[in-house]
């Protein structure tokens, strides 16, 4: 293979991995001969998602960095140093033309190693408030791409920042909603609601959905439209939620993780989810209405800022995590299901916010730092 060589790193959650996969696909589209490899931890979700997508994967050492002095902090620092040394050896052997980091603790040793070898580095930050890894490593990179205007203020003024939007897989754009709906929701006239709490799951959201059973039963008795709900419960809570949801199988389908997530977005009449940056960008690309419940412990409360973009555009409803309940959600669903025009309008407003050129803009910036 005579093409350029690229290393991508991002992990810990799918919100860091999927942008890296979108960038990798854009590189492939522009450079069919490119050699693309991912670095990540063997235990992280990045290993599963990257190998499933068909890319080469190399496991490295990395651990989350606690904010307080503890034994875990010492272990994390040791893992960072060992991972940096490991990555230096790997990068010396592979001689990549550039390293791309999309956030998460796995990026730090990779970016640090690349910077020490003077390999060009591009970082992409998905959230309105940058994560620690990207903030720490930004000064060691040649370019930082961000999703939202205003994010650049969180980086040092010497860092070169470009607003690109979040790279979303092409599959989210221009889908045949009718065909996908027939595939995932065949012969069913009920509204379809997709609920997600992220790859690890969200206890508040999961328990709220389980609590909807009395509302569902009441609507069934009154011959009112009662939705079918698909709940992606997350890896940490799947077994318990699936067991609790089993008696409600006539309206509730519990899954651990959704791999063809773009199809579920397209089929759904409404999304209920956290407001991670990539999720918000995928909602926009799919043109779907949503109810957003930000993760309350996100750094800098960045999920609230992410949600605000959709809410202010009239594309979503908002609920703080500590105010979410089955009663609140049932009231909102009653209103929305009785007003299909509002759902359609929310979906159209979401689509206006889509950035289909994000991956191409990031690729353009990448080629600039390689040539400079």
């Amino acid at each position: 293979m005579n093409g350029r060589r690229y290393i991508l790193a991002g992990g810990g959650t799918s919100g860091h991995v999927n942008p890296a996969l979108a960038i990798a696909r854009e590189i492939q589209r522009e450079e069919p001969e490119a050699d693309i490899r991912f670095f990540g931890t063997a235990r992280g979700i990045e290993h599963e998602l990257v190998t499933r997508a068909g890319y080469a994967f190399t496991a490295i050492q990395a651990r989350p960095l606690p904010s307080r002095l503890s034994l875990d902090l010492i272990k994390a620092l040791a893992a960072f140093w060992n991972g940096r040394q490991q990555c230096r050896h790997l990068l010396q052997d592979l001689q990549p033309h550039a390293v791309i980091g999309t956030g998460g603790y796995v990026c730090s040793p990779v970016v640090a190693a690349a910077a020490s070898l003077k390999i060009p580095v591009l970082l992409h930050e998905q959230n309105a408030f940058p994560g620690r890894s990207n903030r720490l490593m930004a000064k060691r990179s040649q370019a930082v791409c961000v999703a939202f205007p205003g994010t650049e203020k969180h980086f040092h003024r010497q860092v070169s920042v470009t607003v690109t939007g979040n790279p979303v897989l092409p599959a989210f754009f221009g889908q045949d909603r009718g065909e996908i709906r027939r595939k995932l929701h065949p012969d069913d006239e009920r509204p379809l609601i997709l609920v997600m709490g992220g790859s690890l799951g969200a206890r508040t959201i999961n328990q709220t959905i389980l609590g909807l059973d009395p509302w569902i039963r009441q609507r069934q008795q009154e011959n009112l439209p009662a939705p079918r709900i698909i709940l992606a419960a997350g890896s940490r809570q799947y077994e318990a939620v699936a067991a609790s949801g089993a008696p409600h199988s006539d309206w509730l389908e519990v899954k651990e993780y959704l791999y063809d997530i773009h199809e579920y977005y397209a089929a759904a009449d409404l999304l209920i989810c956290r407001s991670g940056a990539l999720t918000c960008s995928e909602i926009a690309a799919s043109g779907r209405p949503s109810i957003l419940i930000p993760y309350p412990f996100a750094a800098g409360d960045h999920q609230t800022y992410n949600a605000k973009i959709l809410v202010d555009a009239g594309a979503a409803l908002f609920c703080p995590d500590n105010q979410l309940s089955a009663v609140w959600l049932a009231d909102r669903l009653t209103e929305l299901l009785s007003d299909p025009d509002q759902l359609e309008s929310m979906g159209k407003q979401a689509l206006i916010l889509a950035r289909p050129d994000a991956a191409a803009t990031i690729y353009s910036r990448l080629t600039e730092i390689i040539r400079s």
Side-chain angles (χ1 to χ4, degrees), residues 54-93:
Y55 293 103
F57 183 89
T58 298
I60 63 167
Q61 292 188 55
R63 289 174 66 100
L65 185 66
S67 56
R68 296 182 179 179
L69 183 62
S70 64
L71 180 59
D72 285 340
L73 177 60
I74 296 171
K75 290 179 179 179
L77 292 173
F80 168 80
W81 178 256
N82 292 334
R84 178 183 179 278
Q85 294 302 101
Q86 179 188 9
C87 290
R88 274 182 59 88
H89 294 309
L90 289 167
L91 294 175
Q92 285 171 330
D93 289 340

Side-chain angles (χ1 to χ4, degrees), residues 8 108 164 220 266 334 353 358:
L8 292 98
S108 296
T164 62
Q220 290 171 340
T334 298
L353 299 174

Side-chain angles (χ1 to χ4, degrees), residues 33-46:
E33 295 300 311
D35 182 359
I36 299 172
R37 178 176 294 272
F38 283 73
F39 285 4
T41 61
R43 66 184 179 278
I45 193 173
E46 62 268 19

